[in-house]
C-alpha cells in the first residue's frame, strides 16, 4: 500500500508491518496514511476480525521521522489521523514488539489489546525532552495502565521502560523470545478469530470504557502538541537533536 508499510492478510487477520528497518521503522506521513487506510479497511469488512501490528528488523518503531514530520503540516495531520483511527478501532488489536518502541511506537500500544514483546524491547516516550507533550491519549492511559509513578518517569523524564518492567506494569501481555515473537502473536490473533465475534466486541467495548473521555483527551493533547511545536523550547530541542548536542532550555 505504501513504501514503508506492508500489509498481509490471512484467515481474517490483517497484519500491518512497519517495514523501514534501515530507519528503525520511523514513520513518515505516507506511512501513517497507509496504516490509517488499513485500519479503515479492516473495520469495514465483516470477514476481518483482528489487526496485528509488527515491525521489520531489530526495532518495532522509532516514532516519527523527525525530518519528515517537521517538513510541513502534513506529517502532524497524518499522525493525528492515525491516532484517532487506532483509538476508535472496533476490533481486537495484537502487537508484536521487538527492540525500540519510541514515541507513537509506545503510545499506540495503549490501544492494543494483546502486546507481546521480546526481552530486548524498550519503551520510550520522550515528548517532554523534545519540548512537546504526549499524544494518543497517553497522558490519560499511561497513568491508568502503569500507575502515576511509572508513567511520570516515562512522560516527565523520558526514561525508558524495559520489557520486564513493562510486563509487570501491565503494558505488555507477555515476553516472548525474539525467534518466536511473530508466530506467537499470529497464534493469539488466530485464537481471537475462534471466539464469538459479538461477545468479543461487546467485552472489548466494556473493557475500553467511555470513548468520549479518551477522544476528548486526544484532541486536547493534539491542540497542545501543535502549540508546543511552535515554542522556543521545541525549537531548541529539535535543533539540538539534529545538531547532536545537548539542548539548553532557559527558565
Amino acid at each position: 500500500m505504501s513504501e514503508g508499510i506492508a500489509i498481509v492478510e490471512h484467515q481474517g487477520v490483517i497484519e500491518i508491518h512497519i517495514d523501514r528497518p534501515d530507519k528503525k521503522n520511523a514513520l513518515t506521513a505516507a506511512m501513517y496514511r497507509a496504516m490509517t487506510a488499513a485500519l479503515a479497511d479492516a473495520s469495514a469488512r465483516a470477514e476481518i476480525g483482528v489487526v496485528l501490528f509488527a515491525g521489520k528488523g531489530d526495532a518495532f518503531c522509532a516514532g516519527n521521522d523527525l525530518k519528515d514530520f517537521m517538513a510541513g503540516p502534513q506529517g502532524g495531520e497524518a499522525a493525528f489521523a492515525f491516532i484517532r483511527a487506532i483509538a476508535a478501532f472496533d476490533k481486537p488489536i495484537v502487537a508484536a514488539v521487538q527492540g525500540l518502541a519510541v514515541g507513537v511506537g509506545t503510545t499506540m500500544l495503549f490501544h492494543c489489546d494483546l502486546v507481546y514483546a521480546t526481552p530486548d524491547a524498550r519503551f520510550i516516550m520522550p515528548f517532554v525532552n523534545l519540548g512537546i507533550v504526549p499524544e494518543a491519549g497517553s497522558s490519560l492511559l499511561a497513568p491508568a495502565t502503569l500507575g502515576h509513578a511509572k508513567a511520570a518517569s516515562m512522560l516527565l523524564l523520558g526514561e525508558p521502560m524495559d520489557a520486564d518492567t513493562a510486563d509487570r506494569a501491565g503494558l505488555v501481555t507477555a515476553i516472548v523470545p525474539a525467534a518466536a515473537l511473530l508466530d506467537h502473536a499470529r497464534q493469539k490473533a488466530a485464537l481471537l478469530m475462534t471466539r464469538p465475534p459479538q461477545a468479543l466486541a461487546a467485552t472489548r467495548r466494556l473493557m475500553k470504557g467511555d470513548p468520549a473521555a479518551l477522544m476528548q483527551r486526544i484532541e486536547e493533547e493534539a491542540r497542545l502538541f501543535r502549540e508546543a511545536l511552535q515554542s522556543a523550547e521545541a525549537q531548541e530541542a529539535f535543533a539540538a537533536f539534529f545538531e547532536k548536542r545537548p539542548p539548553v532550555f532557559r527558565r
Side-chain angles (χ1 to χ4, degrees):
M1 291 178 64
S2 167
E3 183 177 352
I5 297 294
I7 307 296
V8 177
E9 184 178 329
H10 180 67
Q11 295 185 345
V13 178
I14 284 183
E15 300 180 6
I16 302 174
H17 293 263
I18 308 172
D19 189 5
R20 200 184 178 208
D22 57 316
K23 298 294 185 181
K24 302 292 184 183
N25 294 328
L27 296 169
T28 64
M31 293 165 71
Y32 274 120
R33 286 192 288 268
M35 293 192 297
T36 301
L39 289 175
D41 179 53
S43 181
R45 294 168 58 196
E47 70 272 22
I48 300 300
V50 181
V51 162
L52 189 159
F53 280 96
K56 299 282 190 177
D58 61 4
F60 174 65
C61 175
N64 289 317
D65 181 309
L66 292 183
K67 288 185 178 179
D68 181 85
F69 188 80
M70 298 302 291
Q74 68 275 4
E77 291 168 3
F80 286 120
F82 169 72
I83 285 166
R84 294 185 189 99
I86 195 171
F89 191 68
D90 54 358
K91 297 174 183 179
I93 305 175
V94 180
V97 181
Q98 78 283 1
L100 288 175
V102 180
V104 72
T106 287
T107 62
M108 66 181 287
L109 301 177
F110 291 110
H111 303 285
C112 298
D113 301 286
L114 300 171
V115 178
Y116 300 102
T118 56
D120 71 337
R122 294 293 181 272
F123 306 90
I124 309 171
M125 295 187 285
F127 303 105
V128 165
N129 295 356
L130 291 170
I132 52 180
V133 300
E135 35 83 326
S138 56
S139 64
L140 178 69
L141 298 174
T145 302
L146 309 174
H148 181 87
K150 291 295 186 187
S153 74
M154 298 186 76
L155 290 174
L156 301 184
L157 294 176
E159 292 182 340
M161 178 176 282
D162 62 30
D164 286 335
T165 305
D167 185 20
R168 293 193 301 270
L171 178 59
V172 166
T173 306
I175 298 175
V176 180
L181 177 66
L182 188 55
D183 283 344
H184 185 86
R186 284 171 168 162
Q187 289 169 12
K188 297 300 182 180
L191 195 59
L192 285 168
M193 288 297 298
T194 70
R195 299 302 192 251
Q198 293 183 11
L200 188 67
T203 300
R204 187 176 185 271
R205 285 195 300 270
L206 289 167
M207 291 176 66
K208 292 289 186 180
D210 180 12
L214 175 58
M215 287 302 180
Q216 182 178 0
R217 180 62 61 90
I218 287 173
E219 295 306 325
E220 182 180 6
E221 289 174 343
R223 177 180 62 81
L224 293 172
F225 191 105
R226 293 186 186 99
E227 292 175 1
L229 276 178
Q230 308 305 315
S231 70
E233 290 182 347
Q235 300 293 323
E236 168 60 14
F238 280 96
F241 176 84
F242 288 121
E243 294 167 11
K244 298 182 179 180
R245 61 172 174 80
V248 178
F249 300 117
R250 302 190 184 280
R251 295 190 175 275

